[in-house]
Amino acid sequence: MTRLLIKRLLLGAIILLVVSVVVFLATQALPGDPARAILGREATPERLAALRLQLHLDEPMYVQYFSWLGNLLRFDLGTSFANGLPVSELLGPRLNNSLALMVCAAVVSIPVSLLVGTYSALRRDRAFDHITSVITLVLASVPEFVVGIVLVLIFSTGLFSFLPAVYVMTGSDSVWSDPVQLVLPTLTLVLAVSPYIVRIMRGTMLEVLESEYVQQAWLKGLPRRTVLRRHALPNAIGPVAQVIALQLAWLAGGVVVVEFLFRFPGVGFTLVDAVNNRDLPVVQTVTMVIALVYVVVNLLADMVSLAVNPKVRTAAL
């Protein structure tokens, strides 16, 4: 396990390094001039030149990259071009808000999806199974912003108009000060990630239930709950853990669209605003944070799969 963990950590570091190169080149390719975006259209050439010099925008691209990467490794995220605040100070509260939203979505979607998928497998080819399959197939094929818009139409502007359509700041830094405003964004994320987990859990559970060791447990007369808890679920959760990890990692990127849709004060909304303002340090930092979440969550999923499934552990060696 230690050797496998070291391999995964090295692979994750390489992935983050490649992502850093792509992110830096992509931000450099954004249209517009950061200095002019900061100073406005009325800025004189002298002021623009002075600001470019101050921000090191006149240096070669490779020098800018290694300078930015070195600062990133020292946890120096730089200063926002738009408002002059340190990026860490600007993103700290926004990151906490996004994490709160993602945790709410994960806490609801994971157990519900596992239960629905398991029950659907146990009720194979019955009404519940058919209805669940149709609903999850439809939800899986619909983009998350469409799901969010439909929820707004139903619960904010239609007959059941009792939930806010957008997030409104209440004067408190904590999103928990008015948890009702978290309902629609959280529900949108839950409906976006749950279908995949439900379908994979159903398919994996069907495969496990048809395996020889589970069939032998049934023949021995073991109670249904014991068979499910001790034989079926432990062997089904390994493959499903990978899908759960991918969906949780998707939350880090998918939350951008949902936050922008509901005007939620998180890193996603900040990222869109930073792109519009050509605020390169903020764009680079948020993108790297999302990439880091992807790597960490997938690493944890690999560890779970290796821990619960000896076959996967042996094959990985």
Side-chain angles (χ1 to χ4, degrees), residues 54-67:
Q54 178 183 350
L55 299 177
H56 306 287
L57 298 176
D58 57 334
E59 295 179 351
M61 189 176 298
Y62 69 91
V63 175
Q64 296 184 50
Y65 169 74
F66 284 111
S67 175

Side-chain angles (χ1 to χ4, degrees), residues 22-265:
V22 175
V23 167
F24 183 82
L25 294 177
T27 52
Q28 295 298 315
L30 286 174
D33 181 6
R36 186 169 294 280
I38 296 172
L39 297 177
R41 296 182 179 180
E42 304 299 326
T44 63
E46 292 78 12
R47 293 185 62 191
L48 290 173
L51 184 58
R52 292 191 187 100
L53 182 63
Q54 178 183 350
L55 299 177
H56 306 287
L57 298 176
D58 57 334
E59 295 179 351
M61 189 176 298
Y62 69 91
V63 175
Q64 296 184 50
Y65 169 74
F66 284 111
S67 175
W68 168 69
L69 183 61
N71 292 334
L72 194 64
L73 294 176
R74 294 193 298 269
F75 299 100
D76 180 7
L77 305 180
T79 303
S80 171
F81 288 173
N83 51 33
L85 293 175
V87 175
S88 57
E89 180 180 335
L90 177 66
L91 292 182
R94 305 297 179 93
L95 182 59
N96 290 334
N97 293 343
S98 293
L99 288 176
L101 184 60
M102 292 169 60
V103 168
C104 289
V107 168
V108 174
S109 62
I110 293 176
V112 170
S113 300
L114 295 179
L115 289 174
V116 172
T118 301
Y119 189 72
S120 181
L122 294 174
R123 309 290 292 180
R124 183 179 184 179
D125 293 332
R126 299 188 183 182
F128 181 85
D129 184 31
H130 292 308
I131 294 173
T132 302
S133 297
V134 172
I135 293 176
T136 54
L137 181 61
V138 171
L139 290 176
S141 61
V142 176
E144 62 273 10
F145 69 89
V146 175
V147 175
I149 292 173
V150 171
L151 291 178
V152 169
L153 292 175
I154 295 175
F155 296 108
S156 299
T157 61
L159 179 62
F160 307 102
S161 181
F162 59 91
L163 292 175
V166 295
Y167 190 91
V168 179
M169 297 298 295
T170 58
S172 174
D173 293 333
S174 175
V175 294
W176 302 111
S177 59
D178 189 6
V180 174
Q181 298 195 82
L182 291 171
V183 174
L184 283 185
T186 300
L187 186 57
T188 302
L189 292 175
V190 168
L191 294 178
V193 302
S194 295
Y196 302 96
I197 303 176
V198 170
R199 296 179 70 84
I200 293 298
M201 186 64 190
R202 176 188 178 275
T204 305
M205 182 58 70
L206 285 175
E207 182 179 351
V208 171
L209 290 176
E210 294 173 354
S211 62
E212 294 182 358
Y213 55 87
V214 173
Q215 293 297 326
Q216 188 172 2
W218 292 123
L219 294 175
K220 288 182 178 180
L222 293 177
R224 181 187 184 92
R225 182 178 301 178
T226 302
V227 174
L228 292 176
R229 186 179 69 252
R230 298 185 59 182
H231 299 280
L233 286 176
N235 289 281
I237 202 65
V240 177
Q242 296 287 340
V243 177
I244 293 175
L246 289 175
Q247 294 308 305
L248 293 180
W250 174 89
L251 283 177
V255 76
V256 174
V257 177
V258 175
E259 287 183 359
F260 185 74
L261 176 63
F262 291 100
R263 313 294 292 180
F264 186 81

